Amino acid sequence: MNGLRMFAAVVMIASLAFLAASSQDAHAAAVVGKTAPAFSLTDLDGKTVKLADFKGKFVVLEWVNFDCPFVRKHYGSENMQKLQKTYTGKDVVWVTICSSAPGKQGHLTAEEAKEATQERGASPTKFLLDPKGVTGRAYGAKTTPHMYVIDPKGKLLYNGAIDDTPSTKVADIPNSKNYVVAALDAALAGKPVETATTKPYGCSVKY
C-alpha cells in the first residue's frame, strides 16, 4: 500500500513539473506584435550586449549553426552576407546568435566564432554566444536559421523562416521569396509587414 502511495506521489509530482514547464514554454516564445523578449549575452570580445542597447533601431536576430546544411546554403552562396551588408548599411542592427550547447553540433567558442565569421566574410553588427540556450528558448528559436525582426520600439515584427523554400540547394535562392527582406523593406518604408509569421526551416537548434 505504501508502495502504491509513493508511486502515485511520484507520478503527481512529475505531472505538475511537466505542466509547469509547458506553461513556461508557452509564455517564453516571442510573439509578433508583442514586446520582444529582453536578452543579455556576451559578444566575441567578452562584452555584455543587451537588446535594450539597440533601442531606436530596427534589429534582426539570426540563429546560426555553421555545420547545418541549411545555414551553409545561405552562407556558401553569400546570400546571408549580402543581407547583412545591405541592411546594416541602412542602419539596421544585425545580430547573429549561436545557441548550440557545448559538445553539440555548431557550438563555438568566441575565438572559433571569430574565425568562422572571418572565413565567410560575414559582417553582422554583433555575434552573440548563448551556450546555455537561455535567449534561444526565450524566443522559441527552433531552427538554424530562424529569423526575427524587431522594430525601434522593441516590438516583434517578424518571426520565422528566412524564405519560402525549405531546401539546402543554393540554386533555389534566386527564385525564393525572402521573408526577412520583405519585412525589413516594408518596415523601413513605414508600411505594415504583410507576412509576419512563417514556419522556420533548417536544422534544430542544438540546445
Side-chain angles (χ1 to χ4, degrees):
M1 189 64 179
N2 287 339
L4 286 174
R5 287 177 178 173
M6 181 68 74
F7 176 75
V10 170
V11 170
M12 181 176 292
I13 291 170
S15 299
L16 289 172
F18 174 78
L19 289 172
S22 299
S23 176
Q24 288 174 1
D25 288 344
H27 291 289
V31 177
V32 169
K34 303 292 185 183
T35 300
F39 62 73
S40 178
L41 294 172
T42 303
D43 71 9
L44 304 187
D45 295 316
K47 298 179 180 176
T48 299
V49 176
K50 301 178 181 178
L51 176 60
D53 297 339
F54 306 125
K55 187 176 181 180
K57 294 190 175 185
F58 287 100
V59 178
V60 174
L61 303 183
E62 169 213 344
W63 258 264
V64 74
N65 167 0
F66 289 125
D67 294 330
C68 167
F70 294 91
V71 172
R72 288 203 294 265
K73 165 189 172 183
H74 290 287
Y75 275 93
S77 63
E78 298 191 355
N79 182 48
M80 196 69 82
Q81 296 94 318
K82 290 176 183 175
L83 294 176
Q84 293 167 350
K85 290 177 182 175
T86 296
Y87 288 102
T88 55
K90 296 180 179 181
D91 206 28
V92 172
V93 173
W94 191 290
V95 179
T96 301
I97 300 176
C98 180
S99 293
S100 293
K104 300 286 185 69
Q105 184 196 57
H107 174 73
L108 295 171
T109 64
E111 289 304 314
E112 289 169 340
K114 284 182 181 179
E115 291 178 9
T117 52
Q118 289 173 1
E119 287 174 359
R120 291 163 178 78
S123 55
T125 309
K126 289 287 182 183
F127 191 117
L128 303 180
L129 301 175
D130 180 36
K132 295 182 179 178
V134 174
T135 298
R137 291 188 176 92
Y139 275 78
K142 296 179 174 62
T143 63
T144 51
H146 191 155
M147 310 295 294
Y148 299 83
V149 178
I150 301 168
D151 79 2
K153 294 182 179 179
K155 186 174 72 176
L156 192 69
L157 295 179
Y158 177 74
N159 173 357
I162 186 171
D163 61 30
D164 66 351
T165 307
S167 80
T168 58
K169 298 179 181 177
V170 171
D172 288 335
I173 293 176
N175 299 318
S176 301
K177 177 181 180 180
N178 192 301
Y179 293 126
V180 178
V181 168
L184 283 170
D185 287 351
L188 288 168
K191 299 177 180 178
V193 176
E194 291 187 1
T195 304
T197 304
T198 62
K199 183 179 181 180
Y201 72 85
C203 306
S204 61
V205 178
K206 303 300 187 288
Y207 293 116

